[in-house]
Amino acid sequence: MSAHSHAHDDHHDGGASHGTYKSYVIGFILSVILTAIPFWLVMDGVLDSKVATALWVMGLGVIQIIVHMVYFLHMNTKSEGGWNFLALIFTLVIVAIAIAGSLWVMYHLNTNMMPQMDHDMIPSFG
């Protein structure tokens, strides 16, 4: 074995996970299933409640994100010495704060800035 090929192999030994053909196929099959189920739920109107349907679709979407991160992006607690996982947690915390803050601001703007409508003042045309 030459010194060049040995040095090249050392670059891949940093704890990063490389996918196999089998793991890509499993990820693809799970992705197809996790796409088909919400499509079926919405198109056939399986659940009576639209809120329940939306919650199921969002839940399956979160599961699909996790499948993509594990099977295609190879994110786990071992890759890059755990820094990838730590960066993911930090990103999720920042996104959660941004979403919660935005919803809080929009809710309070709607509550405090919209004029109170008095239904007695609205003329009826009927």
Side-chain angles (χ1 to χ4, degrees):
M1 186 184 273
S2 71
H4 176 70
S5 65
H6 181 65
H8 180 70
D9 290 341
D10 288 341
H11 293 294
H12 293 293
D13 201 48
S17 164
H18 296 287
T20 62
Y21 181 75
K22 180 180 176 182
S23 71
Y24 284 121
V25 170
I26 291 171
F28 176 74
I29 291 170
L30 287 173
S31 296
V32 169
I33 291 169
L34 291 169
T35 300
I37 291 172
F39 186 78
W40 168 68
L41 288 174
V42 171
M43 293 304 290
D44 287 347
V46 175
L47 302 174
D48 293 331
S49 170
K50 291 185 186 293
V51 173
T53 302
L55 289 174
W56 270 99
V57 168
M58 286 189 286
L60 290 168
V62 168
I63 294 170
Q64 190 170 58
I65 289 170
I66 294 168
V67 166
H68 283 229
M69 289 186 336
V70 170
Y71 287 99
F72 300 122
L73 297 177
H74 313 296
M75 293 188 75
N76 58 29
T77 56
K78 296 179 190 114
S79 63
E80 300 291 329
W83 285 107
N84 280 346
F85 191 69
L86 188 63
L88 171 67
I89 291 172
F90 178 73
T91 302
L92 292 175
V93 168
I94 296 299
V95 168
I97 290 171
I99 290 172
S102 297
L103 291 173
W104 182 77
V105 167
M106 288 187 286
Y107 171 78
H108 285 283
L109 280 175
N110 185 44
T111 302
N112 296 325
M113 300 298 287
M114 293 301 292
Q116 298 297 325
M117 296 192 62
D118 187 9
H119 294 290
D120 296 335
M121 295 177 62
I122 299 174
S124 63
F125 298 105

